[in-house]
Amino acid sequence: AFIASPRHASGDESRYKIRMQNYVGGSFTTTSTTDTPSSPQYIDAINPKTGRAFGQVPISSADQVEQALRTATDAFGAWSTTPAAARSKLLQRVAGLIQEHRELFAVWESIDQGKTLERARVEVDRAVSNFSYFSTFILHQQTAARVVDGSNILTYEHRSPAGVFALISPWNMPLYLLTWKMAPCLAFGCTAVAKPSEITSMTAFLLCEVFRRAGLPAGAMNVVFGDGATTGSALVRSPLVRGGVSFTGGTATGIQIRRDTADQIYKHLSLELGGKNPTLVFGDVELDRAVATAAMAAFENQGEICLCGSRIYVQSSIYNDFVAAFTAYVEANYKCGERVGAVVSHQHYTKIRSYLLLAQSEGATFFTSSPSSLSSPDTIIPPRTPPTATGSPHEIFGPVATISKFDTEDEAVRLANDNPNGLAAVLLTRDGGRMRRVGERLEAGLVWVNCWLVRELGTPFGGMKSSGTGREGGEYSRDVFTHVRTLHMPL
Ligand code: NAD
């Protein structure tokens, strides 16, 4: 049954002692024969706002992963040949059940991840959209067919589900990013073993109950809980993962997964990795709108979105005005506990703090509150803008953005592209010609002009350079989860 949530996201969660269980073959399974609360096979699920544990996440062993993969392999035959219309109905049911339990999912996401309840609700709605979008997408597929020039031979493309997948997601938007993989995987007829981040597993656990209630065939979607070193690594390496790996997470982990699967050439690899994204603010902008967009891009979800614009570059002509307006806007609109939640864990807090202290030691000016106001063991960090830490190519992944100047278009493009990552970019200008001139030169998979985080689920999603390989979304997801063969038939 669903686990009732506390009435609000910052209260009495510690009275819950939830022991999460893997979901394999349509049943919740006890994960270990020696599972005691103190056994090392479990780690605590912690509310970062309070520091209190509300549950335990099992660390599934390689054997348990293999068992789940065998179940997914057994289920593949029937699921991959289920008509698209029937798969579509089941996915609609999944979408409907998440929608019905929207508040339950949102409250638990906020407790587990630290994000605000309002932000969590947006992400639950997007999880619903993931299932409803792909449930209808598969009903409108077309096949390319043509006659070979000068002959009587018809050729056409045939697609079939690619096989069993490993789906692995990070902690920053747990339900949304996991369902971004699960929905197309199931829609295109693949089965999978999914592993959410060990730091934020709660909504994936609730989602298993949705699959059970929706009547999804046993084994089509299995969920194992655990860390990267034990569970994730066993999952990506297994030869039973015949289809591929769809992974979202850090660049270092993406590289490790590439190494671990290097000789398994049959596995498709979809890697959505880190970002350190630029926001370019040109002198012709309407200042108030530009400030609001740049602030949202920098600080939404505490800056814990891979698409956040954490490097802000402002044209010299408006630099002083922009900094003044930006500082005032952030202080008025990004208040801790309101629009700013807790960062995901104390460990992550310590990492962010170390970057801020480094910037301070290098002589950075802090436009908003300084690092001295940070006290361990807090996990709520007011947004900060140290301007001189721009040299750092590293993704801080917290409420921290740097601001610096540029003079010309060419300089703006050079600064924006001067980073190993290439996930997203924000371009703020009213000049239509510049939108195209600059937009088309930015090394980023996603460019947002005068907006941020607009998502249309059919557009290709993914990064350039170190931000990943492959694209997902609409037909691009179809390319991930299906194999295409070309038939040649004399008429
Ligand atoms: P992470 O790479 O540490 O972990 C991501 C997932 O991989 C977790 O489930 C983890 O358990 C698992 N994992 C770790 N090591 C593994 C291994 N060797 N084999 C298999 N699985 C392993 O990332 P994180 O800290 O959870 O997430 C933050 C990162 O994710 C940031 O870099 C952020 O930019 C990135 N991210 C990217 C996107 C995108 O779409 N490009 C979206 C969200 C987050």
Side-chain angles (χ1 to χ4, degrees):
F2 282 123
I3 296 152
S5 58
R7 276 202 355 271
H8 51 81
S10 55
D12 49 358
E13 78 291 334
S14 60
R15 71 190 164 86
Y16 289 85
K17 297 288 173 224
I18 299 159
R19 175 84 69 88
M20 297 179 208
Q21 291 185 305
N22 290 347
Y23 181 71
V24 177
S27 307
F28 289 96
T29 61
T30 311
T31 46
S32 166
T33 47
T34 56
D35 62 340
T36 63
S38 59
S39 98
Q41 289 98 336
Y42 287 86
I43 55 169
D44 281 341
I46 292 171
N47 177 348
K49 293 195 199 82
T50 62
R52 290 196 297 254
F54 62 85
Q56 291 186 309
V57 182
I59 303 298
S60 304
S61 67
D63 282 350
Q64 288 159 342
V65 169
E66 205 64 4
Q67 173 58 40
L69 282 167
R70 275 197 293 275
T71 307
T73 305
D74 291 345
F76 181 73
W79 182 249
S80 61
T81 50
T82 299
R87 291 201 300 262
S88 172
K89 275 202 184 110
L90 280 161
L91 296 191
Q92 295 274 11
R93 235 181 273 163
V94 170
L97 280 161
I98 301 172
Q99 179 72 58
E100 201 181 304
H101 298 281
R102 177 182 192 244
E103 204 58 13
L104 178 101
F105 274 99
V107 170
W108 274 120
E109 194 77 300
S110 174
I111 289 173
D112 197 13
Q113 205 278 338
K115 63 182 75 236
T116 63
L117 188 53
E118 198 180 329
R119 176 73 219 163
R121 288 191 187 114
V122 170
E123 292 176 18
V124 175
D125 291 343
R126 287 186 169 209
V128 172
S129 306
N130 286 340
F131 280 103
S132 48
Y133 175 84
F134 283 105
S135 74
T136 53
F137 186 87
I138 52 171
L139 300 177
H140 305 283
Q141 296 302 296
Q142 291 181 343
T143 302
R146 49 184 87 80
V147 173
V148 177
D149 188 29
S151 80
N152 217 9
I153 299 174
L154 177 76
T155 89
Y156 72 97
E157 293 170 18
H158 174 258
R159 285 181 181 269
S160 51
V164 174
F165 266 77
L167 310 177
I168 299 183
S169 56
W171 50 253
N172 63 321
M173 299 199 283
L175 183 71
Y176 171 56
L177 289 173
L178 189 63
T179 55
W180 175 240
K181 300 179 181 310
M182 287 173 159
C185 176
L186 288 167
F188 292 112
C190 295
T191 61
V193 174
K195 191 199 86 61
S197 168
E198 63 276 25
I199 302 169
T200 53
S201 293
M202 186 59 193
T203 47
F205 184 48
L206 295 172
L207 189 61
C208 298
E209 177 64 7
V210 164
F211 292 143
R212 201 184 65 79
R213 290 192 188 188
L216 198 69
M221 184 56 66
N222 308 278
V223 178
V224 294
F225 296 96
D227 64 3
T230 316
T231 315
S233 176
L235 181 55
V236 298
R237 287 162 185 260
S238 172
L240 290 178
V241 175
R242 299 294 307 175
V245 178
S246 176
F247 169 82
T248 301
T251 301
T253 314
I255 292 168
Q256 184 62 47
I257 290 174
R258 243 178 131 146
R259 281 205 188 98
D260 288 347
T261 56
D263 57 356
Q264 296 169 319
I265 209 80
Y266 54 87
K267 276 183 191 170
H268 175 93
L269 280 196
S270 218
L271 303 174
E272 307 282 1
L273 309 177
K276 176 89 178 180
N277 311 298
T279 295
L280 301 181
V281 189
F282 281 89
D284 64 354
V285 291
E286 197 185 306
L287 195 62
D288 289 351
R289 287 182 61 183
V291 159
T293 306
M296 181 168 65
F299 299 130
E300 197 64 19
N301 202 46
Q302 301 72 248
E304 294 172 324
I305 300 181
C306 52
L307 306 161
C308 277
S310 54
R311 295 184 287 138
I312 303 172
Y313 299 102
V314 184
Q315 200 154 26
S316 303
S317 54
I318 59 158
Y319 180 81
N320 289 340
D321 290 345
F322 179 88
V323 169
F326 187 82
T327 306
Y329 182 86
V330 170
E331 282 175 349
N333 291 283
Y334 284 84
K335 293 202 191 311
C336 291
E338 292 177 17
R339 200 160 171 182
V340 180
V343 298
V344 71
S345 64
H346 189 67
Q347 193 188 11
H348 191 52
Y349 165 87
T350 308
K351 176 189 148 185
I352 296 168
R353 189 168 186 266
S354 73
Y355 277 112
L356 291 168
L357 294 173
L358 178 68
Q360 192 175 43
S361 73
E362 289 171 350
T365 308
F366 285 80
F367 295 130
T368 51
S369 48
S370 78
S372 56
S373 62
L374 282 179
S375 63
S376 258
D378 276 0
T379 48
I380 299 189
I381 305 178
R384 284 179 160 72
T385 49
T388 60
T390 46
S392 168
H394 303 293
E395 181 188 40
I396 298 175
F397 218 48
V400 181
T402 56
I403 310 182
S404 43
K405 290 181 197 174
F406 68 88
D407 286 315
T408 64
E409 251 180 48
D410 281 349
E411 190 187 1
V413 171
R414 186 180 55 71
L415 288 167
N417 292 342
D418 184 22
N419 192 272
N421 298 291
L423 186 55
V426 180
L427 171 54
L428 304 178
T429 178
R430 284 195 289 185
D431 180 334
R434 177 182 288 140
M435 291 175 193
R436 196 189 58 74
R437 267 194 321 271
V438 173
E440 292 183 2
R441 289 164 67 202
L442 293 174
E443 294 168 356
L446 299 129
V447 177
W448 281 294
V449 181
N450 296 329
C451 60
W452 180 70
L453 209 59
V454 175
R455 291 281 288 115
E456 200 286 316
L457 301 187
T459 55
F461 182 93
M464 295 182 184
K465 303 198 288 190
S466 296
S467 292
T469 52
R471 295 289 182 274
E472 294 188 0
E475 290 181 6
Y476 299 86
S477 294
R478 185 186 60 179
D479 290 342
V480 171
F481 293 106
T482 62
H483 285 151
V484 62
R485 60 177 63 74
T486 312
L487 280 82
H488 305 79
M489 300 169 57
L491 296 171

